[in-house]
């Protein structure tokens, strides 16, 4: 994991709720709860002064862990694109 500014290591917001939201979506739940959880995760990461590329790495790790085993390649790619788009919108406040 990249080093944070002057801290020796960067902190990461907890991802357990993000993983649960992905699990719910994979089981047929609504995307709204996943998007809301991504917004919370990104806000926490920004509060920890994580750069956007680090935030995306953490989100993609969670996607690989929770979604990749359960989706076909095209569905996984489409979900990944939506998650990255939502995260960037949240990080830069363009939503």
């Amino acid at each position: 994991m990249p080093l944070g500014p002057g801290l020796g290591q960067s902190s990461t917001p907890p991802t357990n709720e993000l993983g649960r939201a992905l699990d719910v979506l994979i089981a047929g739940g609504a995307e709204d709860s996943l998007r809301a959880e991504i917004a919370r995760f990104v806000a926490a990461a920004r509060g920890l002064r994580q750069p956007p590329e680090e935030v995306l790495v953490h989100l993609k790790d969670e996607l690989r862990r929770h979604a990749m085993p359960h989706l076909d390649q095209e569905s996984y790619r489409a979900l990944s694109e939506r998650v990255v788009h939502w995260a960037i919108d949240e990080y830069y406040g363009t939503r």
Side-chain angles (χ1 to χ4, degrees):
M1 184 176 297
L3 299 179
L7 300 176
Q9 317 184 322
S10 63
S11 298
T12 305
T15 57
N16 52 341
E17 292 300 320
L18 183 59
R20 276 194 270 274
L22 280 163
D23 292 341
V24 167
L25 178 68
I26 300 305
E31 276 190 355
D32 291 346
S33 59
L34 175 59
R35 188 166 186 169
E37 193 53 46
I38 288 169
R40 282 189 282 278
F41 179 84
V42 170
R46 283 189 76 208
L48 293 170
R49 304 181 86 164
Q50 282 191 340
E53 57 273 9
E54 220 174 286
V55 174
L56 292 176
V57 166
H58 292 299
L59 286 172
K60 288 179 178 183
D61 285 347
E62 287 301 300
L63 273 167
R64 274 190 288 279
R65 187 175 303 119
H66 291 274
M68 187 179 268
H70 306 287
L71 298 175
D72 62 71
Q73 187 175 7
E74 182 59 30
S75 297
Y76 177 78
R77 185 195 58 74
L79 177 59
S80 182
E81 286 177 5
R82 287 193 307 278
V83 165
V84 167
H85 178 76
W86 296 336
I88 291 169
D89 282 353
E90 287 296 330
Y91 194 92
Y92 292 106
T94 58
R95 178 160 81 128

